[in-house]
Amino acid sequence: MSDQKMVFIGGAGNMAGAVIGGMVASGYPVDKIVATGRNQDKLKDFCSRTGVHGSTDNLAAIQNADVVVLSVKPQVMKALCETIASEVSARKPLVITLAAGIPLAAYQRWLGPGVPIVRAMPNTPALVGTGVTGLYAGEGVTNEHKSVATQMADAVGIAQWVEAESGIDQVIAVSGSGPAYYFQFMESMIDAAEKAGMDRADAERLTLQTALGAAKLAVAADVDVAQLKRNVMSPNGTTERAIKRFQEGGLPQLVEQAMGDCAARAAEMAKELDK
């Protein structure tokens, strides 16, 4: 992978910037990475911090690129693709898109046939190196291409390939939107503790540390999370009573319904953006 020239369009943005930072930290040669952006001051600052090259000219930047990573807002993706289509369709570098919601068919129309494209769906914990990136390979994507995409995702967490494009919607339901589910639960715990008389700052500190500890324990354990839950529960104890309240209140069913709604909305957005 280290001999691949990679160009990140929108590279000074939060997500692409996190990916670049992770790659540089893992030893990827900075002279093989180019970040583009419209804000010259922001781009200059980013390149100064990371050591990568910068450019405000997308078309010039992707000349001779082996990999082109698209990291702009979905609403401007079509216009961007149209500006670089001539170069991409002629040379056919690997294209990796970090934008949410846009289906592969749209990129194929905008960039031309035969371009190898990988859809990548990272989540926000990638900003702190603990992300999950869902990956789907279009036609013409080789094992070498997949290796490049996997290593890029691994630089900020873990990679998860899906066999069907619809699998990206499931990754969104679990990991893409998942951090917000945990934030909601943490917010509810903090609110409840405050109402019970705890200082809010203390409640937040304890809640966040508890969430961090539970996640680390689950990752390190050799048993599933259901068993970890049972390990905390004593018969007729405090934890058992709390868990029973969650179950009687329909928490498992509510989570299932919410994740179904999330995946359904992801599919709707794909249709809306596939124009």
Side-chain angles (χ1 to χ4, degrees):
M1 181 179 174
S2 60
D3 61 347
Q4 301 278 317
K5 178 184 176 183
M6 301 186 69
V7 177
F8 289 76
I9 297 182
N14 288 338
M15 189 56 70
V19 172
I20 292 173
M23 292 177 64
V24 171
S26 64
Y28 199 87
V30 292
D31 62 345
K32 295 292 185 179
I33 299 176
V34 178
T36 78
R38 292 182 296 179
N39 186 313
Q40 292 188 6
D41 292 337
K42 182 178 180 181
L43 182 63
K44 182 179 180 180
D45 177 67
F46 177 77
C47 293
S48 177
R49 285 187 287 108
T50 60
V52 303
H53 299 295
S55 174
T56 57
D57 187 333
N58 293 329
L59 191 58
I62 66 171
Q63 292 180 3
N64 301 316
D66 300 297
V67 184
V68 177
V69 183
L70 308 179
S71 183
V72 299
K73 295 182 183 301
Q75 294 81 359
V76 300
M77 184 63 78
K78 180 180 179 181
L80 167 64
C81 288
E82 289 174 345
T83 65
I84 64 173
S86 59
E87 179 70 17
V88 170
S89 62
R91 294 187 48 254
K92 295 180 175 52
L94 170 63
V95 173
I96 303 175
T97 170
L98 304 184
I102 303 176
L104 200 64
Y107 291 102
Q108 291 170 333
R109 288 199 308 273
W110 300 338
L111 295 174
V115 176
I117 303 170
V118 169
R119 281 189 64 186
M121 184 68 247
N123 64 358
T124 53
L127 298 172
V128 291
T130 54
V132 174
T133 302
L135 297 163
Y136 173 70
E139 291 185 14
V141 172
T142 66
N143 287 336
E144 183 180 359
H145 290 150
K146 293 182 73 172
S147 177
V148 170
T150 297
Q151 291 182 62
M152 186 191 76
D154 284 346
V156 288
I158 65 172
Q160 179 64 52
W161 287 92
V162 298
E163 293 298 321
E165 189 168 12
S166 59
I168 288 290
D169 297 340
Q170 301 306 317
V171 172
I172 291 172
V174 175
S175 297
S177 298
Y181 311 159
Y182 291 101
F183 298 149
Q184 172 66 69
F185 198 82
M186 287 187 277
E187 181 185 16
S188 296
M189 286 182 64
I190 293 166
D191 289 344
E194 184 181 30
K195 288 179 182 178
M198 184 180 287
D199 177 79
R200 188 169 184 87
D202 291 341
E204 181 171 358
R205 179 170 177 265
L206 296 184
T207 296
L208 299 187
Q209 182 66 19
T210 301
L212 176 63
K216 283 191 171 183
L217 184 59
V219 169
D222 57 1
V223 296
D224 63 21
V225 293
Q227 183 59 50
L228 290 175
K229 178 186 68 176
R230 289 190 289 269
N231 291 348
V232 184
M233 296 166 61
S234 300
N236 200 32
T238 57
T239 307
E240 182 183 70
R241 182 168 294 188
I243 294 298
K244 282 186 175 180
R245 175 68 73 175
F246 286 140
Q247 293 172 341
E248 291 169 358
L251 179 62
Q253 294 78 15
L254 186 60
V255 170
E256 181 180 358
Q257 292 164 2
M259 290 175 63
D261 288 346
C262 180
R265 180 54 185 150
E268 291 171 1
M269 290 176 63
K271 292 180 180 179
E272 293 168 2
L273 292 167
D274 187 13
K275 297 177 180 178

